[in-house]
Every structure is written in structure tokens, then in C-alpha cells.
Amino acid sequence: MSRLISNFVAFQLGWFGCVLGAANGTPAIGPVIVLAAAGLHLRLAARPVREAALLLAAAAIGLVFDSALVRAGWLSYPNGILWAGTAPYWIIALWVAFATTLNVSLRWLRGRPWIAAAFGAVGGPLSYLAG
């Protein structure tokens, strides 16, 4: 139970660090927190190589997906952008932070695709509105 709680808390710290850091002109704070959380996550993982692959896949998916939204003109970010037309690094860190929860605090959603989809349908847009 303590791993579940620490995973949830680490995600929240990373999420707030990314969003509030970017909102206050210090976009590097969140990714540093996420990097520490991801390191702890990998250290505690039963299969760290598989988890590392999951985190890298999430980062790649986030980079492609959010960069497509930027290039389409649907989103724009005031800071944290390394290359024009791409998503900022703090958004990519959010994808990594989310991936740390998939096999720990969100594991209970396995086998429940409708509930998972409902959470995603509500939580995804809300996280963009909050950011």
C-alpha cells in the first residue's frame, strides 16, 4: 500500500511541478521532479527494464502527439520549447509522470477499459484546462 501511495504522491508532485513551474516561468522545475520520481519508480520496479521502456514510449508518444497539436495550431506554449513546432519539455515530462502510474496506482484499471476510457475522457481535457 505504501508503494501505491508514494507512486500517487510522486505523480502529483511531478504534475504540479510541471504545470505550476511552466505557469510561473520556470518550466525546468517540473521535469526535475519527474526525473527524480521516475528514478525512484525504476528503482522500486519489479521489472525496471520494462518500466524504463514504458516511460520512454510514453515520452515518444507525448512528443509526437503534442507536437502534432502544436503544429496544427491547436495548442501553443509560452515556454519550455527546445525546438520550434514541438511540444515543450515539461509536457513530455507529464507524459512520463503519467506512465509511472500505469503499473502501480492505476493498475486497478486493467481489465476495465470503459472505466479507463471514462477517466481519460474527463481527466485529459481537465488537465489541459488546468494547465
Side-chain angles (χ1 to χ4, degrees), residues 3-5 29 37 50 57 77 79 84 86 102-103 113 119 124 128 130:
R3 178 145 189 257
L4 182 93
I5 293 169
I29 290 173
R50 282 183 67 178
Y77 298 98
N79 59 35
T86 62
L102 294 175
N103 290 319
F119 275 107
Y128 273 107

Side-chain angles (χ1 to χ4, degrees), residues 1-2 8 13 17 35-36 41 45 49 57 59 61 69 74 96 101 114 116-117:
M1 186 60 130
S2 65
F8 178 76
L13 290 172
L35 182 63
H41 174 72
V49 174
I61 291 167
L69 294 176
W74 292 0
V96 172
T101 67
W114 291 107

Side-chain angles (χ1 to χ4, degrees), residues 45-110:
R47 297 178 180 167
V49 174
R50 282 183 67 178
E51 286 296 314
L54 175 65
L55 301 186
L56 290 173
I61 291 167
L63 177 63
V64 169
F65 181 75
D66 276 305
S67 292
L69 294 176
V70 168
R71 287 179 186 250
W74 292 0
L75 290 175
S76 64
Y77 298 98
N79 59 35
I81 298 166
L82 296 177
W83 299 283
T86 62
Y89 54 82
W90 60 270
I91 285 287
I92 308 310
L94 283 174
W95 281 82
V96 172
F98 174 69
T100 66
T101 67
L102 294 175
N103 290 319
V104 186
S105 56
L106 292 180
R107 185 181 183 117
W108 66 274
L109 287 172
R110 282 188 186 170

